[in-house]
Amino acid sequence: MEVVTGCYEQVLFGYRLRRDHEVWTLSADFTHHAHTGSLSAVAVSNRYIATGSKDETIQLYDMKKKTEHGALLHHDGTITCLEFHSNTHLLSGAEDGLICVWNVKKWECQKSIKAHRGHVTSLSVHPSGKLALSVGTDKTLRTWNLIEGRSAFIKNFKQNAHIVKWSPSGQKYIVVVMNQLDIYSLETASVIGTISHGKRISSVQFITDTLLAVAGDEEVVRLYDCDSQKCLNEFRAHENRIKSIYTFGLEDFHVVMSASNDGYIRAWRLDQDKVQEPPSLLCEVNTSARLTCLSVWRADSSETKNNPDTAVEESLTPTKSKKKIHWSKTDTTEEGGADSNQLPLKKKKKLQTTVEKKKKKCP
């Protein structure tokens, strides 16, 4: 497993997360400085890592070959959110109000949707891949029909929401406005529960369909029950505010990863039958950077049923000139998206390991 995290200092860090029986370690694997602005988003598939930045670009990394795979230049503004779906598509949102749907096989932009009049602040794809949710600074929540690339439903808010996320089952979703988290039912599209957090919420992760991990502008991570909206547990994870959390399940327990402005990445063990007990610290590493985003790339993800490996091309021919993609009639968005797409690619180069400067395969 590879823990990847971005920071204000424009660097992407990669740390190898290893488990040797009961001993866990985080060891430096690579650093990469491809962006010219602070990193704002990171997403992983079974093969690629995508990072978004204030420099308005999306950088791609091939984790199987340990190479830089190229850059996507379509947005005009900070990249605010990235999400892969089923290893076949990448969705990106930005301050230009656009949501782009990228085909991972050829890295073509299949759809460019003018999603919001303001910034896109967050997006989430339904597990079926047929729907997506987005929130923006126009104080709206929008439901998107990804098959037709059009808006299916719009809900207005009194304030700007900055996080939206589907549950693993897709039967409910959450919307965050400042320190308030509303839980919605997919069937009724109405609020079925509300959680009031202590401070502004910065990151939310579903551990299970009924258990939420929530972090805010403070040092504490809280665990909430979605059905009762009660706080089951809270623990002090860092010495400074937490910027991002990420969770994944193993056979016998769940791991909660946390990244903070204090520069630390920490891995916590959470036993589902002992949710009300404080999680134990598995390992930690100090990056000496102000961290902004976090994710975990798992080498075995292609073997899972939820992440089928779907005919990804081994390489993409680099080109110095911008490549114009011609849109078919069905690709034209109802919201008035861009009428062309540009995909310039940089030459592939190896990620720089933290131990040696020369190009070589990471262990």
Side-chain angles (χ1 to χ4, degrees), residues 167 169 171-172 174 181 183-184 191-195 206 208-212 223-232:
S167 67
S169 69
Q171 294 301 308
K172 55 179 169 280
I174 59 100
L181 186 153
I183 305 168
Y184 288 79
V191 177
I192 57 175
T194 298
I195 294 172
F206 278 95
T208 67
D209 216 55
T210 58
L211 185 62
L212 273 173
L223 305 179
Y224 291 95
D225 181 85
C226 290
D227 296 331
S228 65
Q229 294 88 56
K230 291 183 179 179
C231 181
L232 302 177

Side-chain angles (χ1 to χ4, degrees), residues 201-222:
I201 296 172
S202 58
S203 186
V204 178
Q205 287 287 315
F206 278 95
I207 298 174
T208 67
D209 216 55
T210 58
L211 185 62
L212 273 173
V214 181
D217 290 343
E218 55 185 340
E219 307 85 5
V220 174
V221 174
R222 292 186 174 91

Side-chain angles (χ1 to χ4, degrees), residues 22-260:
E22 296 302 316
V23 178
W24 289 70
T25 56
L26 273 167
S27 56
D29 193 14
F30 70 84
T31 60
H32 196 55
H33 193 167
H35 289 285
T36 58
S38 60
L39 275 71
S40 51
V42 60
V44 299
S45 70
N46 67 335
R47 177 168 182 172
Y48 296 102
I49 293 174
T51 58
S53 168
K54 288 189 175 181
D55 64 9
E56 306 179 359
T57 70
I58 300 170
Q59 298 287 339
L60 303 172
Y61 311 91
D62 187 328
M63 288 302 290
K64 290 187 177 180
K65 295 182 177 181
K66 294 291 185 181
T67 59
E68 181 184 273
H69 198 67
L72 307 180
L73 305 184
H74 184 78
H75 288 288
D76 184 17
T78 297
I79 310 300
T80 55
C81 43
L82 295 168
E83 184 171 322
F84 280 98
H85 176 72
S86 294
N87 301 315
T88 60
H89 293 84
L90 171 69
L91 276 74
S92 60
E95 288 185 350
D96 56 7
L98 293 180
I99 291 177
C100 294
V101 182
W102 304 90
N103 185 310
V104 172
K105 184 176 180 180
K106 296 182 179 180
W107 288 112
E108 293 176 345
C109 185
Q110 290 185 324
K111 297 184 186 297
S112 180
I113 306 169
K114 183 59 180 175
H116 293 271
R117 292 186 179 90
H119 304 166
V120 179
T121 52
S122 180
L123 63 83
S124 184
V125 184
H126 189 269
S128 69
K130 297 178 180 179
L131 295 174
L133 297 171
S134 67
V135 291
T137 56
D138 55 0
K139 300 179 182 178
T140 64
L141 164 70
R142 296 178 185 254
T143 305
W144 299 98
N145 181 329
L146 293 180
I147 305 301
E148 300 178 9
R150 62 177 178 83
S151 177
F153 180 76
I154 301 175
K155 179 179 177 60
N156 294 302
F157 295 127
K158 293 182 179 180
Q159 292 179 285
N160 291 324
H162 62 282
I163 297 175
V164 63
K165 188 177 289 292
W166 287 102
S167 67
S169 69
Q171 294 301 308
K172 55 179 169 280
Y173 56 92
I174 59 100
V175 177
V176 177
V177 178
M178 296 300 290
N179 68 327
Q180 180 173 303
L181 186 153
D182 289 327
I183 305 168
Y184 288 79
S185 165
L186 171 63
E187 185 177 354
T188 63
S190 58
V191 177
I192 57 175
T194 298
I195 294 172
S196 294
H197 197 69
K199 294 187 178 181
R200 184 182 186 275
I201 296 172
S202 58
S203 186
V204 178
Q205 287 287 315
F206 278 95
I207 298 174
T208 67
D209 216 55
T210 58
L211 185 62
L212 273 173
V214 181
D217 290 343
E218 55 185 340
E219 307 85 5
V220 174
V221 174
R222 292 186 174 91
L223 305 179
Y224 291 95
D225 181 85
C226 290
D227 296 331
S228 65
Q229 294 88 56
K230 291 183 179 179
C231 181
L232 302 177
N233 194 0
E234 66 175 66
F235 61 97
R236 186 183 180 91
H238 291 271
E239 300 303 317
N240 207 329
R241 62 176 179 165
I242 299 169
K243 295 293 292 184
S244 185
I245 55 176
Y246 186 91
T247 66
F248 60 91
L250 300 176
E251 291 182 1
D252 44 351
F253 59 91
H254 290 272
V255 176
V256 179
M257 305 293 306
S258 59
S260 168

